[in-house]
Amino acid sequence: MNVQSLHIPVKKSTPAVDFDVDNALLKIEGESYPENAYLFFQDVLKWLEEFLGECDRKITFEIKIPYMNTSSTKVFTDIFDMVEDYAEKGGGVLVRWFYEEDDEDSYYNGVELLQELEFPKEMVPYLDE
């Protein structure tokens, strides 16, 4: 595989992105409310497109976004559309959406983003410490 792992550190308004090519584990964690979500996520979308084009094994996504703005929601819709295309072509996919146990908004964000998609997904509660 020619695609290298991608690591973007967390900042105040953008999540950490850790795409580990060797383990086919893609993590996005942190709040996501940049002024221009497409500008922040453009490298992520490009990387994901290249990775999915070369990948031939099961991919696990772990998403833990306690808060996201509307433009981030649109980007995640695009990400999950790409993932669904990969799954429809026979690629193995599992998406785990982590939500704080007492945070209905983060739970329903995951439910809304994932409900129409045909690949395996899990809603995983956690306790904020």
Side-chain angles (χ1 to χ4, degrees):
M1 179 169 278
N2 294 324
V3 177
Q4 300 296 311
S5 293
L6 175 67
H7 306 283
I8 301 172
V10 68
K11 292 189 177 162
K12 182 181 177 197
S13 65
T14 57
V17 177
D18 184 16
F19 287 177
D20 180 353
V21 170
D22 295 333
N23 295 308
L25 177 60
L26 308 141
K27 293 182 178 183
I28 302 176
E29 182 175 349
E31 294 189 348
S32 185
Y33 57 94
E35 232 174 89
N36 184 337
Y38 277 100
L39 185 60
F40 171 75
F41 282 103
Q42 70 185 357
D43 290 340
V44 173
L45 292 166
K46 182 179 180 205
W47 184 94
L48 186 58
E49 182 178 18
E50 290 176 23
F51 177 75
L52 293 175
E54 291 186 24
C55 191
D56 60 357
R57 58 195 163 138
K58 182 177 180 180
I59 303 167
T60 301
F61 288 80
E62 294 185 350
I63 312 294
K64 187 176 184 182
I65 306 287
Y67 172 78
M68 71 173 71
N69 63 7
T70 303
S71 63
S72 293
T73 301
K74 290 176 183 174
V75 171
F76 275 94
T77 299
D78 291 349
I79 288 172
F80 291 136
D81 285 346
M82 293 169 69
V83 172
E84 186 167 45
D85 288 345
Y86 177 77
E88 286 175 352
K89 294 175 184 168
V93 172
L94 171 62
V95 173
R96 289 187 182 111
W97 185 275
F98 292 83
Y99 65 94
E100 192 175 338
E101 203 168 70
D102 60 354
D103 182 356
E104 289 183 4
D105 290 339
S106 116
Y107 174 80
Y108 287 114
N109 282 340
V111 168
E112 285 189 23
L113 283 166
L114 297 169
Q115 70 183 349
E116 300 289 320
L117 304 171
E118 297 296 323
F119 51 75
K121 54 228 174 232
E122 298 173 355
M123 299 298 291
V124 182
Y126 69 92
L127 290 173
D128 192 22
E129 297 174 21

